[in-house]
Amino acid sequence: MVEGRKPHFPSETASKGRPRGSAQMSGSNAQFAAFQQAVTALCDAARLSLADAEQLRPLRDRHETFAAGALVQPPQRKDRLRLITSGWLYEARLLPDGRRQIFGYLLPGDLVTGRHGARTTRSALFALTRVDTTELTAALAAAPGAGRTSLSEGLARALEQQEHRGYGALVRLGQYTAQERMAHLIIELRDRLARVGQASRTSFRAPLTQEHLADTLGLSLIHVNRVLRQLRNENLLTIKFGMVTLLQPEKLELLAAGAAGR
Amino acid sequence: MVEGRKPHFPSETASKGRPRGSAQMSGSNAQFAAFQQAVTALCDAARLSLADAEQLRPLRDRHETFAAGALVQPPQRKDRLRLITSGWLYEARLLPDGRRQIFGYLLPGDLVTGRHGARTTRSALFALTRVDTTELTAALAAAPGAGRTSLSEGLARALEQQEHRGYGALVRLGQYTAQERMAHLIIELRDRLARVGQASRTSFRAPLTQEHLADTLGLSLIHVNRVLRQLRNENLLTIKFGMVTLLQPEKLELLAAGAAGR
DNA sequence: CGCGATTTTGAGCCATGTCAATCGGAGTGG
DNA sequence: CCACTCCGATTGACATGGCTCAAAATCGCG
C-alpha cells in the first residue's frame, strides 16, 4: 500500500474479464460508465457523500479530448477544474541536455488544474493516451462568495491528496533502491486505478514504455529493463503488452513500503 | 539560479560584515529587523506592493518560538499561517527501517501552513535551530467572504511558490548527479537566504550537518563528504563551521541548472 | 516483408554505498 | 589543566548497484 487509505478489491479479476479493445458496449454508454467511475473515484478521494456526487452530474457540460502524445494546456484560471474521465496524462520537466523527469501521472478520476504544467514548476502536461476530460464549473472549486460548500471542501481535499503524491515520489527517488522504486510505482498505480475499477489486486493495464518508467524512477532505461527481469525471475511481477501482473502482491507491497529490509 | 526569479545581491559581503553571535544590537531591535526582512521577503515572493506590506505589520500579534530540535506542530486550521522570522525548519519523513528523507527547508520569510507535516504526507516538521514565528491572522489566508484581497492573493502566490519547490527537488533526486545535487541545493538555499539578507552571492551560514545534506540529497553521509571534498579541490565551494562559501558562483550555478554537460 | 519503436542482453566501468577506523573540536567532571 | 566523552567530519579499502556502449531480438504496423 502506498499513500492514503487502503482500497479494497471487489472481484479478483475486475478488469481482466472484459476485453478492452474490442468492446461492443455502445459508445455513449461506455462513456457514461467511465464518467460515473471517475466521479465515484473523485468522491472517494474527496470523502464526499453520494449526495454530493449528485451535484457533480449536471456539470458534465464542457468536454474536452486530447490526442495521444498531445501537449495539454492546463486550465488558465485556477478556479477551473477538469475531471479526467478516461486516459492517462503525465507531467514532466525537460532539462536542457535532454534528460527528462516525469513528476507523476494523472489518471481517470484525477483533476487537472492550473497548478499542473505551470511556469513556476517548469513542467508540461502530456497525454500518454487519448484523454477525455469534463470541466467542472468554476463555482465548485472556489468557495463561492458566502460559504464553502461541502462539495468545494471535498474537491479541495481531493486536490490536496493529489498534490501530496509528490512526497511519496520524493521518498521513492531519494531513499529507495531500484527494485523498491519499481514496486512503489506499480503499487501506487494499481491502487489508484483500482479506485476507478481499472485494476484488480493483481493486474491492470498501463500505457507505459520502459522509458517512461525510467524517467519516472530516475533510472536508466536499461536498468529498468534489468529490474523488471529480476522481478520476473523472482516471480513478483510481469509486464507484457502493457499488462502489468502482480504475481505476489503482498511482497510487492512490502517492497513498496520500504519495509523489506534493504 | 534555481527556481523562480533571479535575485540580485546588493553588496558583495552583505551578511559577512556583522558578526552574528556576539551581536550587541538590542534584542527587540534585532527582532524587529528580522521581522521586517521576513515580511519583505514574503512580499517579494508574493509579488505584493509595499502598501500591502503595511497591512502585514499590525498582524504581528501572536508570536511563537520553538527550541532547536523540537518537533513543530503546524497550524491546525488551514487558514492560519505562521511567518518564520528567524531560524530554520525542515520537513521530513522517517521510514520504518531508519532511513530519512528531508523534503525541504523552511527559512525566514517562509510560511508554515497546515499542509506541512500533514498525515497525508506522513511527514513531520522539525526545528533545526531556535525558530521564531509570528501568526498571520486568519482573515488574510482565505478570501474573507466577499472578495479576495490583493493581500490574500499574494499570500496564495507565495504559498504556491513554496510548494512548487518540490518539483525542483524531484528533478534533483531523479536526474542529477551527486555534484549537481549538492550545487543545486546550495544555490537554492543561497538564493532564498539572499531574499532575507542572510546571504551574499558568495556566502551564507547554514546550520546543516553533512547528515542533513545526505538525507536531503538522497546520498550516503560518506558520499556527501566526498562530494564536498571534490568541490573543495576543484575550488568551487567550501563549508567550514557552518559557513558556506561559493568560490566560483557561476560554475556552481551552471552545475545547479543541470547544464554542465553531465 | 521491411521499417521504426521498444525490449532484451552482454561486457565493462564508474559512481555511490558499506564497513571500519581515525581525527578534531566542544563540553564536562575531576 | 587534564582525562574523558560525544558528535560530527574525514579517510581508506572494498563491494556493488546502476550506467554506458553496442548489438540483437521482438513487436507493431503499413
Side-chain angles (χ1 to χ4, degrees):
Chain A
M1 229 57 28
V2 183
E3 309 296 316
R5 80 202 72 259
K6 188 189 297 270
H8 72 290
F9 303 95
S11 84
E12 186 55 31
T13 49
S15 64
K16 217 156 96 191
R18 62 173 87 113
R20 211 150 284 268
S22 61
Q24 273 321 337
M25 8 167 53
S26 83
S28 67
N29 248 356
Q31 267 180 234
F32 183 68
F35 175 74
Q36 278 303 53
Q37 290 197 301
V39 168
T40 303
L42 177 59
C43 290
D44 182 37
R47 279 179 283 139
L48 285 173
S49 67
L50 290 178
D52 288 316
E54 293 296 317
Q55 297 181 59
L56 283 175
R57 201 177 300 146
L59 300 165
R60 197 169 111 248
D61 43 2
R62 289 188 52 186
H63 286 273
E64 196 158 3
T65 293
F66 303 92
L71 176 71
V72 173
Q73 202 61 39
Q76 300 292 337
R77 296 172 35 191
K78 76 174 76 163
D79 53 353
R80 296 245 164 140
L81 301 176
R82 280 213 292 261
L83 175 66
I84 301 172
T85 56
S86 86
W88 290 39
L89 299 169
Y90 69 92
E91 185 176 9
R93 183 190 295 176
L94 302 168
L95 301 198
D97 61 2
R99 285 179 276 181
R100 172 179 73 168
Q101 178 64 41
I102 294 180
F103 296 124
Y105 299 93
L106 293 174
L107 310 180
D110 283 331
L111 296 168
V112 183
T113 82
R115 296 173 111 88
H116 292 119
R119 59 236 155 299
T120 56
T121 65
R122 300 216 231 119
S123 65
L125 264 191
F126 301 91
L128 202 48
T129 64
R130 180 175 185 280
V131 173
D132 292 314
T133 66
T134 295
E135 184 169 312
L136 303 184
T137 58
L140 288 178
R148 26 191 49 176
T149 61
S150 67
L151 190 55
S152 73
E153 277 186 350
L155 289 177
R157 267 195 299 275
L159 279 177
E160 188 172 337
Q161 188 178 317
Q162 264 183 225
E163 283 164 14
H164 281 353
R165 268 184 231 129
Y167 284 75
L170 238 14
V171 173
R172 186 162 66 201
L173 290 176
Q175 302 299 323
Y176 282 14
T177 65
Q179 278 212 3
E180 289 173 332
R181 292 184 204 184
M182 183 64 71
H184 188 271
L185 177 59
I186 294 298
I187 296 290
E188 176 194 324
L189 292 174
R190 182 201 62 173
D191 289 351
R192 290 171 58 195
L193 286 169
R195 296 191 329 192
V196 276
Q198 291 186 21
S200 73
R201 198 163 98 90
T202 57
S203 74
F204 61 90
R205 58 179 34 260
L208 300 172
T209 74
Q210 294 186 1
E211 191 167 9
H212 291 123
L213 293 173
D215 290 344
T216 308
L217 301 179
L219 300 170
S220 70
L221 199 177
I222 289 154
H223 198 60
V224 162
N225 185 290
R226 271 195 286 260
V227 168
L228 289 175
R229 195 204 322 181
Q230 289 172 27
L231 292 172
R232 196 186 323 134
N233 288 342
E234 296 171 30
N235 261 292
L236 291 176
L237 174 74
T238 63
I239 302 185
K240 196 76 182 175
F241 303 126
M243 174 61 73
V244 180
T245 307
L246 295 75
L247 302 173
Q248 301 185 58
E250 317 77 14
K251 287 196 184 170
L252 286 171
E253 285 156 14
L254 274 180
L255 264 183
R262 207 10 165 177
Chain B
M1 231 51 29
V2 184
E3 310 296 317
R5 81 201 71 258
K6 190 188 297 266
H8 72 290
F9 303 93
S11 85
E12 185 57 32
T13 48
S15 63
K16 218 154 100 194
R18 61 174 89 110
R20 211 151 282 269
S22 61
Q24 271 324 334
M25 4 167 56
S26 84
S28 66
N29 249 354
Q31 267 179 235
F32 182 70
F35 174 75
Q36 278 303 52
Q37 288 197 302
V39 168
T40 303
L42 178 60
C43 289
D44 182 38
R47 280 179 281 139
L48 286 173
S49 67
L50 290 179
D52 288 316
E54 293 295 317
Q55 297 180 58
L56 284 175
R57 202 179 299 145
L59 299 165
R60 196 168 113 248
D61 44 3
R62 291 188 53 187
H63 287 273
E64 196 159 4
T65 292
F66 303 93
L71 176 70
V72 173
Q73 203 60 40
Q76 299 293 336
R77 295 172 37 190
K78 76 176 75 162
D79 53 353
R80 297 246 163 140
L81 301 177
R82 279 213 294 261
L83 175 66
I84 302 173
T85 56
S86 86
W88 290 39
L89 299 169
Y90 67 93
E91 186 177 10
R93 184 189 294 177
L94 302 168
L95 301 198
D97 61 2
R99 284 178 276 182
R100 172 179 72 169
Q101 178 64 42
I102 294 180
F103 296 124
Y105 300 92
L106 293 174
L107 311 181
D110 284 332
L111 296 168
V112 183
T113 81
R115 296 173 111 89
H116 293 119
R119 58 238 154 300
T120 55
T121 64
R122 301 214 233 118
S123 66
L125 263 191
F126 301 91
L128 202 49
T129 65
R130 181 175 185 281
V131 173
D132 291 315
T133 66
T134 296
E135 184 169 313
L136 304 184
T137 57
L140 288 177
R148 25 192 52 177
T149 61
S150 69
L151 189 56
S152 73
E153 276 185 350
L155 289 178
R157 267 195 299 274
L159 279 177
E160 186 172 339
Q161 190 178 317
Q162 263 184 227
E163 284 164 13
H164 281 351
R165 268 182 231 132
Y167 284 76
L170 239 13
V171 173
R172 186 162 66 202
L173 290 176
Q175 302 299 323
Y176 281 15
T177 65
Q179 279 212 3
E180 288 173 333
R181 292 184 205 185
M182 183 64 71
H184 187 270
L185 177 60
I186 295 298
I187 296 290
E188 175 194 326
L189 291 174
R190 182 201 62 174
D191 288 350
R192 290 171 58 195
L193 285 169
R195 297 191 328 193
V196 276
Q198 292 187 21
S200 74
R201 198 164 98 91
T202 57
S203 74
F204 59 92
R205 56 178 35 260
L208 299 172
T209 73
Q210 294 186 359
E211 191 167 9
H212 291 124
L213 293 173
D215 290 345
T216 306
L217 301 179
L219 300 170
S220 69
L221 198 176
I222 289 151
H223 199 60
V224 163
N225 185 291
R226 270 196 291 254
V227 169
L228 289 176
R229 194 204 321 179
Q230 289 173 28
L231 292 172
R232 196 187 322 134
N233 288 342
E234 297 171 31
N235 261 294
L236 292 176
L237 174 74
T238 62
I239 303 186
K240 197 74 182 174
F241 303 126
M243 176 60 75
V244 179
T245 307
L246 294 76
L247 301 173
Q248 300 187 58
E250 317 76 14
K251 286 197 184 170
L252 287 170
E253 285 156 14
L254 274 180
L255 264 183
R262 210 350 175 191

